[in-house]
Amino acid sequence: MSFVDAIVIGAGFGGLYNLLKLKELGLSVRGFDKAPEIGGTWYWSQYPGATSDSASEIYRFRFNKDLLQTDEWPNHYVSQQGSLQYLKNIAKLYDLEKDIQLNTKLISASFDSASSIWTATFDNGEVWKSTYLILAVGCFHTPNYPKITGLDKFKGPVYHTAVWTEQYDLKNKRVGIIGNGSSGAQILVNIADDVKQVISFQRSAQYVAPHPNKPVSAEYRANVNKNYDEIWKMVDNHPTAMPLEHQATPAMSVSPEERERIWEDIWNKKSGFSYMYGVFGDIHSSEEANKELCKFFNKKIAQIVEDPEKVKKLTPNELYGKRPVTLSNYYETFNKKNVDIVNYQHTPFVEVTENGIRTTEKLHELDVIILATGFEVVDGSYATIDISGRNETLSQQWARDGVSSYLSIGDTGFPNMFFIAGPQSPLGNMPPMIETQGTFISGMIAKAEKLKKENGGKPVLIEADTEAKKGWMDLCRQIANGSLFRNVKSYIFGNNGPRGEDNPGIFWLAGYTNYRKAVLEAAEKDYAGFKFSS
Ligand code: NAP
C-alpha cells in the first residue's frame, strides 16, 4: 500500500490541470486513468470527424501560451488528434507523465473518519491512501447505450461514438447512425463520402449552425499571442467561455431586416455558437426571440436542402434549446445521393432486425449501426465507482438528494474530495471552467496545508457546508426551471440516458461568467461555504 498527499483520477484536461496545480504546492500527487493513454474524452472519442466545435481555435489553458507557437493548430477548430496531442504535450512539458498511472481504473474510494484518510482501490489490486481525492472523471464519460428493441439481433457491428478508440472500416458499407447531437452530426458529415450509404436516424431533428473552419494563418496566430490576455478576458466574460463577442441586446429590439442581416453574417462568417450566445442576449430566455431564430434556421434548411421531403424531416419541431450543434456542411451533406434521414416523429421506430432498422415505413437495410447516443450524463461517470464518505456512499446521497454538489466542487459528507466538471458545472468550453475549479481547489488545499502545519501536522478537513450546499442547489434548480431550455427534452436535464428522470439543476445554466464570479467570490471570502476543521 502506498501513500500520497493527493490522488487525481482522470488524465484529461481536468486531471492534468489539477495534477499540475497540486504538484506546484509541493504535494506528492499520483494520477490514475483507466485508459491506456493520456487524453480523457479526446482519447475515447476518436470517431471520424471528432473535432472541438466549441473552443473555437487555440485557447485552452492560459498558462501554456508557448504551445501556441507549435504546429498543432492547423485549423481554427481543433481536431480530436490535435486535442489529444495537445494534452500529451502538456503532460510532457510539465513532466507529468511519470506521475500518471494508465490502464488503472478506480474501483472504490472510502473515507476513514478516524484517520481522515482516503483509501482508493484499483482494478489491478493496488491500494493507495491519500489526504485529498480529486475526481476529474468528466461529466460526459459513461456511454449511453439506450434500450433499443432488437439491437442485440443485428448481425453487423454496432459502434458507439463515446468509446471509439480504433478506426473501423466503413468503406462501401451501409451505415445507420442513431442520434444527431454533436457526435452524430460530425460523424455523418465525415463519413458520407466513404460509405455506400448513410442514414441519420433522428428521434428529434436538431438545428445545426455552421462554423467557419479554416487554416490558422501565421498572422492570426501572432495576433493571438500578442493579445492573449485580452482574449482571455473575452473568454471569462462569455457565457460558454469562448473567445467570442457577447452582447446583451434583445433580438426583437432591432428591425427584422437588421436581425436577418446579423444572422446571415453569422451563418457565413462566425462560430455557430454566436446564435445562442453572441449577438443577441435573449435567445435562451425569450420564446419570441427564439422562435424568430427558428424561422431563420428553417429558411436556411429549405434553401440548402434540395429534396423537400428531407427538408420536412430535417426541420425541428421544437425551440432552439438543446446544446447547440455547430458544424459546417451539415445540411449540404443531405444533398448527396447516398445520404438520407429518417425522422422517427414522421415514421416511428419499430425494431432493429438482423438486417437493419425497421420503421413504420419500411426496413432500412444496414451493414453497420453507429450509436451516437451520448452519455449517461454526470452521475453515470461516478456510477461504476463505489465512493463512501463519512456516513454513506455518494450514490446513496445522490439517490436521496438528487445529483448534487456545492459549487460543483465538493459535497457534504465527503471531506477532502473534490469534483472537476462534476454536477452543476456550467456547460461550454470546458478548459477555462476546469481552470476555475482547479485553481479554487488548489487554493483551498494550500490553506488546509498551512493550517495543518500550524496545527502541528494534525490533518485538516475541507467540507462543503450543508446550508451552503442547499442554497447553491436551490439556486441551480431555480435557474434551470426558469430557463427556456426547460421547453426542450435534452440531456441538459439529465433525462435522455438510462437513469432517465428529469433533473433540473444537474448543470449550472446561468453561464460560465456567472459561475466564475460565484467561485471567485467564494474564494475571496476565504472559501465561503467550505468548512475547514481538524
Ligand atoms: P447528445 O448530444 O446527448 O446526443 C445524443 C443523441 O442521441 C440525440 O440526438 C438523442 O436524441 C439521441 N438518442 C438518445 N437516445 C436515443 C434513443 N433511445 N433512440 C434514438 N435516439 C436517441 O450526445 P453527443 O452528440 O455524443 O454529445 C454529448 C456531449 O458531448 C454534448 O455536450 C456534445 O455537445 C459534446 N460533444 C462536443 C463535441 C465538441 O466538438 N466539443 C463533439 C461531440 C460531442 P434526442 O435529441 O431526441 O434526445
Side-chain angles (χ1 to χ4, degrees), residues 42 47 50-55 140 144 146-148 160-162 178-186 201-204 206 318 322-325 344 372-375 377 427 489-491 496:
W42 297 107
Y47 59 83
T51 303
S52 167
D53 67 350
S54 55
F140 300 116
N144 171 27
K147 288 193 183 76
I148 296 178
H160 198 302
T161 47
I178 300 179
N180 52 304
S182 308
S183 309
Q186 288 182 345
F201 291 88
Q202 308 198 352
R203 186 166 70 177
S204 6
Q206 191 166 346
E318 53 193 354
K322 299 195 188 214
R323 192 276 199 188
V325 179
Y344 288 161
T373 46
F375 298 85
V377 168
L427 284 166
K489 199 163 189 277
S490 145
Y491 74 75
N496 76 337

Side-chain angles (χ1 to χ4, degrees), residues 52-295:
S52 167
D53 67 350
S54 55
S56 163
E57 323 173 12
I58 48 187
Y59 325 104
R60 293 308 187 113
F61 288 141
R62 70 190 82 195
F63 58 76
N64 74 335
K65 188 174 167 185
D66 289 346
L67 283 189
L68 298 180
Q69 313 286 353
T70 71
D71 290 334
E72 280 144 34
W73 313 105
N75 296 315
H76 283 269
Y77 293 86
V78 184
S79 68
Q80 169 273 325
Q81 296 93 321
S83 292
L84 189 62
Q85 194 53 50
Y86 170 85
L87 289 167
K88 288 180 178 173
N89 289 353
I90 289 273
K92 204 179 256 342
L93 188 71
Y94 292 94
D95 198 21
L96 301 176
E97 286 160 317
K98 64 177 179 351
D99 304 311
I100 300 169
Q101 200 166 314
L102 297 167
N103 290 308
T104 313
K105 182 184 182 324
L106 179 68
I107 301 294
S108 68
S110 66
F111 177 74
D112 176 46
S113 297
S115 60
S116 301
I117 291 291
W118 280 94
T119 301
T121 305
F122 295 88
D123 63 349
N124 61 357
E126 285 185 41
V127 178
W128 286 71
K129 288 186 179 282
S130 69
T131 305
Y132 306 104
L133 174 66
I134 317 288
L135 298 169
V137 295
C139 53
F140 300 116
H141 176 69
T142 304
N144 171 27
Y145 283 99
K147 288 193 183 76
I148 296 178
T149 310
L151 190 58
D152 55 335
K153 298 201 179 85
F154 183 62
K155 66 178 187 217
V158 177
Y159 305 128
H160 198 302
T161 47
V163 275
W164 198 298
T165 57
E166 59 184 286
Q167 291 314 311
Y168 305 111
D169 184 12
L170 300 175
K171 262 208 165 27
N172 299 320
K173 302 268 165 58
R174 295 166 302 174
V175 179
I177 303 175
I178 300 179
N180 52 304
S182 308
S183 309
Q186 288 182 345
I187 196 167
L188 173 98
V189 169
N190 280 279
I191 64 172
D193 285 336
D194 292 332
V195 298
K196 186 170 180 186
Q197 184 196 33
V198 55
I199 305 174
S200 172
F201 291 88
Q202 308 198 352
R203 186 166 70 177
S204 6
Q206 191 166 346
Y207 291 114
V208 179
H211 61 212
N213 203 2
K214 58 182 181 195
V216 176
S217 67
E219 294 85 338
Y220 183 91
R221 196 171 300 194
N223 200 38
V224 168
N225 284 351
K226 195 165 139 222
N227 298 303
Y228 202 58
D229 295 339
E230 286 308 306
I231 289 167
W232 270 98
K233 264 188 210 147
M234 229 171 160
V235 170
D236 288 338
N237 288 311
H238 191 270
T240 53
M242 295 181 195
L244 302 175
E245 65 175 323
H246 175 58
Q247 287 164 23
T249 320
M252 305 310 283
S253 68
V254 305
S255 68
E257 295 75 22
E258 180 62 358
R259 259 196 315 275
E260 182 82 7
R261 188 194 64 72
I262 290 171
W263 284 339
E264 192 65 42
D265 190 52
I266 300 178
W267 193 273
N268 296 318
K269 297 193 203 130
K270 296 184 183 163
S271 160
F273 271 95
S274 304
Y275 286 109
M276 183 70 88
Y277 298 108
V279 288
F280 296 121
D282 60 346
I283 298 300
H284 51 88
S285 57
S286 155
E287 192 162 334
E288 190 189 11
N290 193 296
K291 280 188 171 156
E292 208 57 25
L293 178 57
C294 292
K295 280 191 218 157

Side-chain angles (χ1 to χ4, degrees), residues 332-451:
E332 289 81 351
T333 298
F334 286 93
N335 287 334
K336 294 180 196 269
K337 287 208 165 47
N338 65 333
V339 180
D340 208 349
I341 170 183
V342 168
N343 183 327
Y344 288 161
Q345 288 169 3
H346 297 225
T347 49
F349 169 83
V350 175
E351 61 174 347
V352 178
T353 73
E354 61 172 17
N355 295 320
I357 297 178
R358 189 191 303 284
T359 65
T360 48
E361 183 196 20
K362 65 173 189 178
L363 173 70
H364 299 270
E365 293 200 16
L366 302 167
D367 302 311
V368 176
I369 292 178
I370 293 173
L371 298 176
T373 46
F375 298 85
E376 291 185 29
V377 168
V378 189
D379 48 336
S381 304
Y382 301 85
T384 60
I385 316 170
D386 186 9
I387 303 170
S388 309
R390 278 185 196 283
N391 306 313
E392 60 184 343
T393 66
L394 192 63
S395 26
Q396 282 165 340
Q397 178 148 314
W398 283 358
R400 194 190 53 241
D401 298 351
V403 183
S404 50
S405 70
Y406 168 56
L407 271 190
S408 180
I409 286 175
D411 206 347
T412 53
F414 295 82
N416 288 353
M417 183 194 91
F418 306 106
F419 305 114
I420 297 293
Q424 288 78 50
S425 59
L427 284 166
N429 182 18
M430 297 311 264
M433 198 277 301
I434 285 165
E435 274 193 17
T436 301
Q437 295 183 338
T439 306
F440 186 89
I441 292 167
S442 66
M444 284 201 296
I445 291 180
K447 177 180 165 179
E449 288 294 301
K450 187 166 170 278
L451 290 173

